[in-house]
Amino acid sequence: MPQDIASPPADDPTIQQEYVRRLDEDLTRNTADRSEAHDAIQRWQEHLAKLEREAVWLANLRSTLAGQSGSPDTDQGVARGEGGLAKASVRPQGVPAPRTARSKASERGGRGKTAAGAARGKASTATKGPTLGAVIHERLLQHQQPRTAAEVTTDLSQALPERRVGTPVVRSTLEQLVAKGRISRSRQGRTVYYTADASVADSAVTAAAEAAETSE
């Protein structure tokens, strides 16, 4: 007689269906774990918020009882508990406050005024050079011939370029020397000439006389 072969079960699932069933179980378990984790995180957040409120209340109560502001340790602890949004600004005793921009500007201005005063003092004490009259008289003695005010001005600009004087100033100085008798004046038509007086001493004596008159 032929051997009987058992028939396959009627509800035998395929391998794809078996994998789908296992994945569904894994997803269900993962969803349950995530929900539990979220609940735990929420409880800890509520607990942390409660601790922060209590820390603020304790710090305020301590300040009220001590009659002063909260200690640096308490303030910094509260600031850290609030996520670093509030920073404690406590300066240790004995540390001077930073200078303001206005105080720095005042110091710089004071130093600038002191330096300017010193510079003016040095300028005022510096040795004065020969006067314009002494220089003109010396130049006329060197040329030993009549010269107009314009010629004297040109001669000064070439010999002493640092002494920038115009013809009107030179003419006025020449007239002053004429009035003092140190040079003579002559006229040829409409042109005026100036000549150094031979009776006047050399330029060194003239410079000394001009310096004495200036000091007076």
Side-chain angles (χ1 to χ4, degrees):
M1 294 180 63
Q3 187 179 0
D4 294 336
I5 299 176
S7 298
D11 57 348
D12 185 18
T14 62
I15 189 170
Q16 292 86 351
Q17 293 174 341
E18 183 64 23
Y19 272 107
V20 170
R21 182 185 63 80
R22 292 179 182 179
L23 290 174
D24 289 339
E25 293 177 353
D26 292 338
L27 286 173
T28 301
R29 185 166 50 254
N30 179 271
T31 301
D33 292 342
R34 285 188 294 112
S35 178
E36 183 179 355
H38 281 299
D39 293 341
I41 291 174
Q42 185 176 1
R43 288 194 299 271
W44 278 112
Q45 287 178 344
E46 294 175 355
H47 183 65
L48 178 60
K50 173 178 171 293
L51 292 176
E52 291 177 352
R53 289 193 299 269
E54 291 177 350
V56 174
W57 182 83
L58 290 172
N60 292 336
L61 180 60
R62 184 186 182 282
S63 301
T64 302
L65 295 177
Q68 59 184 9
S69 59
S71 63
D73 294 338
T74 303
D75 293 341
Q76 293 176 3
V78 174
R80 286 194 296 268
E82 294 176 352
L85 297 179
K87 296 182 179 179
S89 57
V90 179
R91 183 180 297 110
Q93 295 182 356
V95 178
R99 295 181 299 173
T100 61
R102 184 175 182 180
S103 62
K104 293 181 180 179
S106 299
E107 292 181 2
R108 289 195 297 267
R111 289 194 296 269
K113 292 180 180 179
T114 303
R120 287 195 297 270
K122 291 181 180 180
S124 62
T125 55
T127 303
K128 296 182 179 180
T131 62
L132 180 61
V135 174
I136 292 176
H137 188 269
E138 181 179 2
R139 301 301 299 174
L140 288 176
L141 285 174
Q142 292 177 1
H143 288 284
Q144 297 182 351
Q145 60 182 353
R147 300 178 69 85
T148 64
E151 292 174 339
V152 174
T153 303
T154 303
D155 179 61
L156 288 176
S157 63
Q158 294 176 355
L160 302 173
E162 70 277 3
R163 304 198 68 155
R164 300 177 181 178
V165 292
T167 302
V169 176
V170 172
R171 182 179 291 105
S172 176
T173 305
L174 288 169
E175 292 296 330
Q176 292 177 5
L177 293 175
V178 171
K180 295 176 181 178
R182 293 178 181 170
I183 63 175
S184 59
R185 177 178 56 187
S186 60
R187 182 184 295 272
Q188 294 182 6
R190 301 181 58 181
T191 305
V192 178
Y193 293 90
Y194 300 92
T195 308
D197 194 344
S199 62
V200 180
D202 58 9
S203 60
V205 176
T206 304
E210 292 287 346
E213 292 180 359
T214 303
S215 63
E216 293 176 357

